[in-house]
Amino acid sequence: MIKFIKNFRKDEDGAVTVDWVVLTAAVVALAAIAYNQVQTGTSNLAGSISSALTSVTVNP
């Protein structure tokens, strides 16, 4: 049993998995932030275009 505990303590496979999970979570969070910023900017741009087109008169 002591040998098993010593080997378990030295094993680093779990640490690599935790690193990848943390890295993946950071990438997903950055993607969500970027999506939110793009969505907000697009919405503001669409509103500006809409108000600009509403004020224009077209002569037939």
Side-chain angles (χ1 to χ4, degrees), residues 4 7 13 16 18 24-25 28-29 33-34 37-38 42 45-46 48 51 53-54 57-60:
F4 173 75
N7 287 338
D13 289 340
V16 173
V18 170
T24 303
V28 169
I33 291 169
Q37 293 297 321
V38 169
T42 305
L45 180 62
S48 298
S51 64
L53 290 176
T54 303
T57 57
V58 178
N59 295 328

Side-chain angles (χ1 to χ4, degrees), residues 1-56:
M1 185 70 173
I2 300 289
K3 184 178 178 181
F4 173 75
I5 293 173
K6 286 182 181 180
N7 287 338
F8 182 76
R9 200 175 74 206
K10 291 179 184 178
D11 192 17
E12 294 185 9
D13 289 340
V16 173
T17 303
V18 170
D19 289 344
W20 277 106
V21 167
V22 170
L23 181 63
T24 303
V27 169
V28 169
L30 287 174
I33 291 169
Y35 173 77
N36 189 23
Q37 293 297 321
V38 169
Q39 182 182 16
T40 303
T42 305
S43 178
N44 291 342
L45 180 62
S48 298
I49 291 172
S50 175
S51 64
L53 290 176
T54 303
S55 65
V56 174

